[in-house]
Amino acid sequence: MAGTKIEISGPKSLFSNEFLSNSTSLLNSRKRITVEVRKPVATTAAFTAVQMVAKLIELDSVKVIPETPVQFTVSGQVTVEYDAMEQMKELMFNWWDSSKTTIDAQKGVFLQLVSSDIDPRTGKAKVSKEAILDWSRDLHINADKFVTHEVQFLVDGNFGFPGAILVTNKNSKEFYLKCITLEGCLHFDCQSWVQPEKLHPEKRIFFTDKAYLPHETPMGLRELREKELRELRGNGEGVRVLSDRIYDYDVYNDLGNPDKGLEFARPVLGGQRRPYPRRCRTGRPSTKSDPKAESPVNETTPMYVPRDEAFVDEKKRSVDAGSWKGMMNNLFPFFKHSTESDSVNSFADINNLYKESRNHSNFPVESTADAFKFDPPNIVSRDASCCLRDDEFGRFTLAGMNPISIERLKVFPPVSKLDPSIYGPTQSALREEHLISHLDGMTVQKAIERKKLFTLDYHDAFLPFLNSINAHPDRKAYATRTIFFLTQMGTLKPIAIELSLPSTNPFKPSKQVITPPVDATTCWQWQLAKAHVCSNDSGAHELIQHWLRTHACMEPFIIAARRHLSAMHPILKLLHPHMRYTMDINARARELLISAGGIIESLFSTKECSMEITSFAYKNWRFDMESLPADLIRRGVAELDPTEPHGIKLLIEDYPYANDGLLIWSAIERLVKDYVNYYYPDSNSIRSDPELNTWYYESINVGHADHRHESWWPNLSTPNDLVSILTTLIWISSAKHAALNFGQYHYGGYVPVRPSYMRRLIPNEDDPEYQNFISDPERCFLSSLPRLREMAFLMSMLEILSTHSEDEEYLGDRKELSTWRGAPEIIEAFYRFSMEMKAIEKEIEKRNSDTKLRNRCGAGVSPYQLMVPSSEPGVSCRGVPNSISI
């Protein structure tokens, strides 16, 4: 009678502690056999592996044949999400077909387990037989619209511990692989789109959640670890398609469209002449007019970001919904009066863009007319004033949309750093007589010594570009300097504004100084001067502080991390939530916001000079000055003081951005220190990590290539060096970006207070328009502001940028902790950090109720909440997401 081979099925949990310590060792200690019996012997699932071996030994007729491993069945659950409705339809068709016939061997999702061990016979990692997802079996669609499938792997008894899974998608469409769990205890957090084999024939590699430094990588996984990184780096050639996961660098040569006309040509940013951070390479073909310029996005070459960096459906819906709402708010007010001028004739015209305040009503019902209007920003709902008050002007520099430009005045008169052979004398027109009456009896020198004078200085940032800006009939700008005095109440009072213009004679530029008013005429001149300062500040905020110093400067670090830090690397696992969506939002910005003729050029004073201004500013960018303490000290608003809780002393004690920011900075630093010290106990462990060092080296030498020779780059030699670098990156991605982004609508959504551009210069006595200014100064002020249509466009954009999406992930809310299941110290550190975020939230609420803090509490004063970690979806003017996601 022919012999019958018996397969031994494993216990329910192949990876239980009892089984790993007893059964596996027992099986591995014996000679592995397959038995032939004269009678078929049926096995039952009730047998444990040890009982099964004992039963086999008792059989009276056993014939030893050549060694063949005992095999076990390993159960798993695969959780996937499909790309919207079409993918769900395909799933249901597959399910219907599979219920009637056997699985098509040419379709489906094929999976293989990879052991952490090497097969001594082949020198390669051990792999299981391929398992196929059966769409018809154990289909569970949960509340999050994820689908869970059952899968079974067949592995040899000497397989060892699984360390990776290979996935092949033989279906026709991509699917999102959320996670895989084996025997309920071994987790693979995949979070990735798996492309069809016909598009990407290489098998996808997913590792277990456990973090490994490179030298700790199990032997069976080392080759896969290197292979995965090679695939992510690509070869730097070809046009990238939407399904690719390739990370590479390029210069900013995609902002213009010279084929559309010379007015749409823009210079390449990146290189010695115009230094700039690098972006993600897309490989689109060159334009016909300029071989150095990359052609714009179109139907055949859509916007590329590596597939796993792209917005998920929920994020897309949130952004699209905001765009539609903004468009309707923008266009509807003009449908009815499309033939009429959209000039501003009165403040009532502007106020009519907003919904009426209904706080007095017990039943606030939105009218039909209000449905297409804007919600009043904080400054409108709390202050009926139509122009910017001096106290608000000072407060916004400390607790507004741009709280990181204010600096302490150290030299008087201020001195320009521009080349005098090109831009004229470097000395300012400001003199002591302009300030002396506002210094509480002090001289200027004494006020400087007592650290009472501060400045908002945009002279050097704007002067080189004013000829180009002012050549436009509807754009007029100065290069401004504003001097503030720190009052005894801790508030900043503006005391002088210098307005500079380039002159036809480069050695005699046009400069004027305007001081606080003494009569009706100077009152309106002062208001116009403040509006021009705010126009400078709006451009500097959006282009330099927001776009350049957060979005653009972070992208090279993200690209380098994806290229050189394995998915198993603990530093990538730490940084992962802080890189979410950044590359996608940056790509969208290049397409829509900062491109030639895009939103920024249309709505801000800087027009076609916008991105050149950021390149000019990047020359002075320094990564070592991007940490919060270093930035505050560099700007002269803080000093080192080891007796203070955060090691520095603020010279403006009531500085909401800095006060709240230091709480978050210190909490991030403590978390990162605990994390780094766990994996890197000494300097040798830092130096011996090739992935870590290559990441940092490439971030500098390729990602920020135009600064690669600078001596100010921090070293990476010790654990403390790494703590400093990582803390800075997390700070920029989270709290710093939140402070600059999510207050844009509430602090910038009322244009008379913060115009994004001005259409007229301030009339002088010898100007033809001066008499019109004297006879009707309000009309002169309103005619200097953007038109109503541009105001509505601006408010729409600011509202979209200020909106939190439904799927936002906030600082302190780390969802996946299974990676550190065997490291309770790390889990405890994340838990402490989460608790610190909650404590910070309560502390900020307490500060916002303290009447002694006049920059955040008082009659009509909006509380400063931009550093409050949590938020509801929508425009809330609070919330600190983990990453630059909008």
Side-chain angles (χ1 to χ4, degrees):
M1 180 178 180
T4 302
K5 291 187 178 179
I6 301 175
E7 283 188 353
I8 304 177
S9 295
K12 285 188 176 181
S13 180
L14 178 61
F15 309 113
S16 66
N17 290 333
E18 180 181 0
F19 180 75
L20 289 174
S21 60
N22 298 321
S23 302
T24 302
S25 60
L26 174 61
L27 287 171
N28 289 339
S29 66
R30 296 180 178 270
K31 185 176 182 180
R32 296 179 178 86
I33 60 173
T34 298
V35 299
E36 286 195 9
V37 296
R38 294 197 175 103
K39 289 185 177 181
V41 178
T43 63
T44 66
F47 277 12
T48 67
V50 177
Q51 289 172 331
M52 180 61 69
V53 171
K55 182 68 176 177
L56 292 173
I57 293 174
E58 290 176 3
L59 292 174
D60 59 357
S61 181
V62 177
K63 176 183 177 182
V64 176
I65 62 175
E67 179 176 333
T68 303
V70 177
Q71 293 184 316
F72 296 91
T73 298
V74 180
S75 298
Q77 288 188 321
V78 181
T79 302
V80 300
E81 182 185 21
Y82 293 86
D83 187 11
M85 188 59 66
E86 289 303 315
Q87 297 287 25
M88 189 57 68
K89 289 178 182 177
E90 183 180 27
L91 165 67
M92 298 312 295
F93 284 131
N94 285 342
W95 173 80
W96 176 256
D97 290 341
S98 63
S99 67
K100 298 184 294 183
T101 64
T102 58
I103 298 175
D104 186 347
Q106 301 303 315
K107 289 188 176 182
V109 177
F110 292 69
L111 305 98
Q112 279 182 292
L113 293 183
V114 181
S115 174
S116 299
D117 298 335
I118 289 289
D119 188 333
R121 296 172 298 179
T122 63
K124 300 288 186 180
K126 302 172 184 177
V127 295
S128 72
K129 293 182 178 180
E130 284 188 331
I132 307 177
L133 285 187
D134 184 350
W135 303 114
S136 65
R137 184 177 179 184
D138 295 326
L139 183 80
H140 306 292
I141 301 179
N142 62 28
D144 296 324
K145 297 184 180 179
F146 287 104
V147 183
T148 301
H149 301 284
E150 302 292 334
V151 67
Q152 290 192 332
F153 300 91
L154 196 63
V155 301
D156 294 337
N158 62 351
F159 183 78
F161 204 80
I165 292 181
L166 305 179
V167 180
T168 304
N169 177 13
K170 295 191 177 183
N171 292 321
S172 61
K173 295 184 179 180
E174 68 176 1
F175 69 94
Y176 186 77
L177 181 57
K178 184 176 187 293
C179 63
I180 301 173
T181 304
L182 300 182
E183 296 291 344
C185 64
L186 186 60
H187 194 67
F188 296 76
D189 186 32
C190 305
Q191 306 286 353
S192 180
W193 290 96
V194 180
Q195 302 301 322
E197 185 183 36
K198 63 182 181 182
L199 295 179
H200 294 274
E202 293 288 338
K203 295 181 178 181
R204 287 297 309 278
I205 305 166
F206 296 99
F207 299 102
T208 62
D209 286 358
K210 183 173 173 57
Y212 292 104
L213 291 172
H215 73 276
E216 299 171 335
T217 309
M219 293 298 296
L221 304 180
R222 292 189 176 186
E223 184 177 337
L224 290 180
R225 181 171 185 147
E226 295 171 1
K227 182 176 185 291
E228 171 76 354
L229 289 174
R230 284 196 305 271
E231 291 176 0
L232 291 171
R233 288 194 289 268
N235 59 10
E237 299 176 357
V239 179
R240 300 273 68 85
V241 296
L242 296 181
S243 60
D244 285 346
R245 293 189 312 130
I246 295 176
Y247 298 77
D248 203 358
Y249 303 93
D250 207 345
V251 294
Y252 278 69
N253 62 349
D254 61 338
L255 301 178
N257 186 7
D259 291 346
K260 194 176 178 181
L262 286 178
E263 67 272 24
F264 292 97
R266 296 294 179 269
V268 174
L269 303 184
Q272 186 176 2
R273 186 178 179 187
R274 294 183 179 88
Y276 217 68
R278 299 305 190 256
R279 63 171 175 93
C280 182
R281 178 185 176 276
T282 65
R284 293 197 300 269
S286 301
T287 61
K288 297 177 182 178
S289 307
D290 183 358
K292 294 182 179 179
E294 187 173 274
S295 59
V297 167
N298 55 51
E299 291 184 1
T300 58
T301 54
M303 177 188 73
Y304 169 75
V305 292
R307 185 64 183 96
D308 290 338
E309 305 292 340
F311 287 173
V312 299
D313 286 348
E314 191 172 7
K315 180 72 172 181
K316 287 179 185 176
R317 286 192 296 269
S318 176
V319 173
D320 291 345
S323 300
W324 275 104
K325 178 185 176 184
M327 185 180 70
M328 293 306 299
N329 284 344
N330 193 342
L331 297 178
F332 187 81
F334 303 101
F335 287 158
K336 187 175 179 180
H337 307 288
S338 59
T339 60
E340 298 179 10
S341 170
D342 64 341
S343 297
V344 183
N345 298 311
S346 67
F347 282 105
D349 292 340
I350 300 173
N351 295 336
N352 195 45
L353 295 173
Y354 304 93
K355 298 174 183 178
E356 293 182 14
S357 176
R358 302 178 184 276
N359 294 335
H360 61 279
S361 172
N362 292 326
F363 302 98
V365 179
E366 189 176 80
S367 66
T368 303
D370 275 358
F372 295 98
K373 293 185 177 183
F374 293 90
D375 293 319
N378 282 356
I379 52 177
V380 175
S381 59
R382 288 169 168 77
D383 184 7
S385 174
C386 294
C387 294
L388 181 62
R389 301 196 316 259
D390 284 1
D391 61 308
E392 289 289 272
F393 187 24
R395 187 173 75 85
F396 286 163
T397 65
L398 303 173
M401 190 160 75
N402 179 21
I404 66 173
S405 290
I406 188 73
E407 299 183 358
R408 181 161 57 88
L409 185 66
K410 300 175 183 177
V411 176
F412 189 84
V415 178
S416 171
K417 296 179 181 178
L418 297 174
D419 186 346
S421 66
I422 301 175
Y423 302 106
T426 59
Q427 197 171 39
S428 165
L430 287 160
R431 296 294 181 266
E432 181 145 355
E433 57 263 29
H434 295 128
L435 311 183
I436 192 69
S437 62
H438 304 283
L439 302 181
D440 290 353
M442 288 181 276
T443 64
V444 170
Q445 186 58 38
K446 182 61 68 175
I448 289 176
E449 291 173 0
R450 293 187 180 181
K451 302 168 184 175
K452 292 288 187 179
L453 292 179
F454 295 83
T455 181
L456 208 57
D457 191 341
Y458 294 123
H459 179 276
D460 290 4
F462 280 84
L463 190 67
F465 304 96
L466 287 184
N467 282 330
S468 296
I469 293 171
N470 291 337
H472 292 274
D474 63 341
R475 293 290 194 280
K476 298 295 179 253
Y478 299 96
T480 65
R481 285 191 182 106
T482 307
I483 307 298
F484 295 88
F485 179 69
L486 181 62
T487 70
Q488 294 180 357
M489 295 182 295
T491 58
L492 290 180
K493 178 176 70 173
I495 59 176
I497 295 173
E498 180 186 34
L499 306 172
S500 297
L501 291 170
S503 175
T504 52
N505 179 356
F507 297 99
K508 191 178 179 182
S510 173
K511 299 177 186 287
Q512 61 177 311
V513 177
I514 296 182
T515 54
V518 295
D519 56 28
T521 300
T522 55
C523 177
W524 281 103
Q525 289 174 330
W526 181 244
Q527 290 295 344
L528 283 165
K530 287 189 292 184
H532 274 282
V533 173
C534 288
S535 174
N536 272 187
D537 191 63
S538 293
H541 160 265
E542 201 67 72
L543 290 167
I544 300 172
Q545 310 294 22
H546 183 196
W547 165 255
L548 174 66
R549 291 179 63 186
T550 63
H551 287 259
C553 286
M554 271 300 299
E555 185 161 347
F557 291 99
I558 295 172
I559 296 173
R562 298 299 192 190
R563 285 166 56 87
H564 294 291
L565 295 179
S566 165
M568 291 190 283
H569 201 289
I571 299 305
L572 187 76
K573 290 180 180 292
L574 175 67
L575 290 177
H576 180 74
H578 305 291
M579 303 188 294
R580 184 175 186 243
Y581 293 152
T582 301
M583 293 181 68
D584 191 304
I585 198 64
N586 284 4
R588 291 169 186 265
R590 295 198 308 273
E591 181 185 359
L592 301 172
L593 288 177
I594 61 176
S595 56
I599 293 174
I600 295 297
E601 290 189 3
S602 301
L603 297 179
F604 287 82
S605 64
T606 47
K607 294 293 279 187
E608 73 276 3
C609 303
S610 297
M611 293 307 290
E612 285 193 81
I613 287 176
T614 66
S615 173
F616 195 72
Y618 181 65
K619 294 177 181 178
N620 298 317
W621 176 85
R622 292 179 52 163
F623 180 73
D624 64 328
M625 294 289 105
E626 289 300 300
S627 74
L628 178 59
D631 177 58
L632 295 172
I633 292 169
R634 176 190 64 82
R635 292 190 281 119
V637 295
E639 296 175 334
L640 286 172
D641 187 344
T643 65
E644 291 291 320
H646 306 288
I648 62 172
K649 178 183 178 181
L650 293 175
L651 300 180
I652 305 174
E653 293 183 9
D654 182 15
Y655 186 174
Y657 164 79
N659 290 118
D660 298 353
L662 284 169
L663 295 176
I664 293 181
W665 168 270
S666 296
I668 294 172
E669 188 176 45
R670 284 189 290 272
L671 170 66
V672 173
K673 188 171 184 178
D674 289 341
Y675 191 92
V676 167
N677 288 339
Y678 179 84
Y679 289 102
Y680 298 96
D682 51 39
S683 298
N684 184 59
S685 60
I686 295 286
R687 291 192 295 267
S688 62
D689 186 339
E691 290 184 8
L692 180 72
N693 285 280
T694 306
W695 160 67
Y696 189 55
Y697 176 87
E698 189 173 279
S699 297
I700 296 170
N701 288 275
V702 183
H704 287 279
D706 302 325
H707 282 312
R708 64 187 181 277
H709 298 305
E710 300 290 350
S711 60
W712 44 254
W713 282 103
N715 292 323
L716 179 53
S717 302
T718 68
N720 284 340
D721 293 340
L722 183 57
V723 169
S724 177
I725 293 166
L726 296 176
T727 303
T728 300
L729 292 175
I730 294 173
W731 161 258
I732 294 170
S733 301
S734 58
K736 181 177 180 179
H737 177 260
L740 293 169
N741 184 77
F742 292 103
Q744 290 190 81
Y745 182 73
H746 279 304
Y747 289 113
Y750 188 62
V751 178
V753 168
R754 190 177 176 83
S756 60
Y757 68 88
M758 299 288 282
R759 294 194 292 136
R760 302 183 190 281
L761 298 174
I762 301 175
N764 292 319
E765 291 185 8
D766 55 349
D767 291 334
E769 296 181 354
Y770 187 74
Q771 287 304 316
N772 293 333
F773 163 69
I774 294 296
S775 62
D776 194 348
E778 179 177 310
R779 186 176 184 82
C780 179
F781 181 89
L782 292 172
S783 67
S784 299
L785 299 177
R787 297 180 182 275
L788 282 176
R789 184 182 297 272
E790 278 70 38
M791 287 187 186
F793 266 116
L794 176 67
M795 290 186 290
S796 297
M797 183 198 75
L798 296 180
E799 187 174 31
I800 293 168
L801 294 180
S802 301
T803 300
H804 290 291
S805 62
E806 294 279 349
D807 71 334
E808 203 82 88
E809 296 178 1
Y810 296 96
L811 203 60
D813 294 339
R814 184 169 287 259
K815 295 181 177 180
E816 297 292 342
L817 292 176
S818 60
T819 294
W820 303 280
R821 191 172 296 166
E825 302 95 328
I826 299 296
I827 294 177
E828 184 179 346
F830 281 121
Y831 176 77
R832 283 196 303 270
F833 182 70
S834 180
M835 291 300 102
E836 283 192 82
M837 292 302 103
K838 291 178 172 58
I840 288 171
E841 193 161 318
K842 292 181 180 179
E843 175 61 23
I844 292 174
E845 291 175 1
K846 179 181 176 183
R847 291 174 176 180
N848 285 333
S849 301
D850 188 345
T851 56
K852 296 178 182 177
L853 303 177
R854 291 177 171 83
N855 290 319
R856 65 194 310 157
C857 182
V861 174
S862 301
Y864 186 74
Q865 296 180 306
L866 287 171
M867 292 291 184
V868 174
S870 68
S871 174
E872 295 295 323
V875 182
S876 63
C877 203
R878 59 179 283 168
V880 181
N882 280 321
S883 63
I884 300 168
S885 59
I886 188 66

